């Protein structure tokens, strides 16, 4: 088994105070790996899985940056939809206002690219969890895996697995075609296993990272209130 010297970027901070959680996971590994009873743990697999979490944080951060750039677009769209039934004929709130500008279209496309990349990284982490026989701890991740299995790793319309053509078309529209909106925030949706599954990047990311960190702690517990000594 190879030996590694994992570096702790925040040695003076209690584990619980380190954010984002991918950075906490890196400090967790640095602290855990210095203990003699960690030697039997699969360090290569664990380190790779933590890099996946860094990817999740990266794509989440990029996604939220694009959301910020799109705030004027979502504000226009929200105003129009809220007042569509009461608009006078001479209203300045035009239906054209709900269409994005060229720059906004670029940001909207980027949202989909980041979401697809995010789901693929999540799929990698779920495979790691299965390898560790801890996938039961990844409750929300398992709920979202249909996005990976039916669209992002490969689309069911290109690689059918006994789905009807109508279902394949629905899978194919999970990204790039449309999305739901919760206020001014986009929500991706896919239909699988007889029900709709929603992916809300902002809300789901926090849950997924908490699940991942709890799973790592179950592999080897490092006290969250201690610093690296």
């Amino acid at each position: 088994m190879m030996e590694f010297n994992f570096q702790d970027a925040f040695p003076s901070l209690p584990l619980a105070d380190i954010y984002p959680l991918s950075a906490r996971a890196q400090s967790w590994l640095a602290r855990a790996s210095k203990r003699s009873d960690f030697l039997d743990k699969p360090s290569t697999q664990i380190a790779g899985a933590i890099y996946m979490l860094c990817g999740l944080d990266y794509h989440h951060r990029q996604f939220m940056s694009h959301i910020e750039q799109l705030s004027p677009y979502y504000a226009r769209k929200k105003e129009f939809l809220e007042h569509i039934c009461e608009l006078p004929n001479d209203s300045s709130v035009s239906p054209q206002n709900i269409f994005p500008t060229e720059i906004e279209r670029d940001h909207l496309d980027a949202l989909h690219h980041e979401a697809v990349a995010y789901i693929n990284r999540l799929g990698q982490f779920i495979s790691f969890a299965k390898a560790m026989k801890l996938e039961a701890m990844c409750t929300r991740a398992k709920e979202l895996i249909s996005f990976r299995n039916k669209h992002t790793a490969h689309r069911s319309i290109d690689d059918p697995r006994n789905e009807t053509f109508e279902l394949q078309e629905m899978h194919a529209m999970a990204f790039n075609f449309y999305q739901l909106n919760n206020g001014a925030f986009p929500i991706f949706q896919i239909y699988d296993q007889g029900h709709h599954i929603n992916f809300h990047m902002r809300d789901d990311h926090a849950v997924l990272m908490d699940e991942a960190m709890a799973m790592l702690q179950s592999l080897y517990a490092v006290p969250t209130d201690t610093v690296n000594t």
Side-chain angles (χ1 to χ4, degrees):
M1 182 179 295
M2 297 181 66
E3 293 187 9
F4 300 92
N5 181 22
F6 298 110
Q7 299 299 309
D8 189 345
F10 306 97
S12 63
L13 286 180
L15 203 61
D17 291 346
I18 300 173
Y19 290 93
L21 287 194
S22 59
R24 184 185 301 180
Q26 291 174 306
S27 290
W28 166 86
L29 179 57
R31 298 175 193 193
S33 64
K34 289 180 171 58
R35 305 186 182 196
S36 59
D37 53 346
F38 187 80
L39 294 177
D40 62 338
K41 301 298 180 183
S43 297
T44 304
Q45 277 180 280
I46 294 171
I50 290 174
Y51 193 66
M52 297 168 198
L53 299 184
C54 293
L56 291 180
D57 266 336
Y58 170 80
H59 292 301
H60 169 260
R61 186 167 60 251
Q62 293 295 107
F63 188 96
M64 297 304 296
S65 176
H66 290 295
I67 287 289
E68 184 176 353
Q69 295 298 317
L70 283 165
S71 57
Y73 163 71
Y74 282 118
R76 296 196 314 271
K77 187 174 180 180
K78 184 173 184 289
E79 180 185 9
F80 176 79
L81 294 175
E82 285 178 347
H83 300 289
I84 188 170
C85 295
E86 57 191 55
L87 291 175
N89 293 333
D90 59 351
S91 171
S92 62
V93 182
S94 165
Q96 293 299 319
N97 287 343
I98 69 172
F99 293 109
T101 65
E102 184 176 349
I103 292 176
E104 288 168 344
R105 279 197 298 272
D106 288 341
H107 286 296
L108 286 168
D109 286 341
L111 291 182
H112 292 271
H113 292 312
E114 294 296 345
V116 168
Y118 185 100
I119 291 292
N120 278 343
R121 276 299 197 191
L122 183 63
Q124 286 184 311
F125 191 82
I126 293 174
S127 292
F128 165 72
K130 288 180 178 178
M132 298 295 106
K133 299 184 176 6
L134 291 171
E135 68 269 26
M137 298 187 69
C138 300
T139 305
R140 183 56 179 158
K142 290 195 301 178
E143 290 173 349
L144 295 174
I145 198 62
S146 291
F147 283 97
R148 183 263 180 200
N149 292 342
K150 302 301 182 182
H151 188 106
T152 67
H154 54 262
R155 301 182 307 170
S156 63
I157 203 169
D158 300 321
D159 187 11
R161 305 291 170 92
N162 299 316
E163 305 93 350
T164 65
F165 182 71
E166 291 76 12
L167 186 56
Q168 292 168 20
E169 286 192 313
M170 293 176 71
H171 291 162
M173 291 190 290
F175 299 95
N176 303 106
F177 281 81
Y178 68 94
Q179 69 261 335
L180 306 175
N181 285 282
N182 178 9
F185 201 91
I187 301 174
F188 303 99
Q189 186 177 84
I190 198 166
Y191 186 81
D192 197 31
Q193 304 296 321
H195 63 280
H196 290 95
I197 305 159
N198 293 342
F199 171 42
H200 189 303
M201 175 70 84
R202 183 189 62 211
D203 294 351
D204 280 324
H205 181 64
V207 174
L208 293 166
M209 295 300 284
D210 281 342
E211 286 182 353
M213 195 66 228
M215 199 201 83
L216 292 176
Q217 283 281 35
S218 77
L219 282 172
Y220 190 92
V222 174
T224 61
D225 59 348
T226 58
V227 298
N228 191 359
T229 56

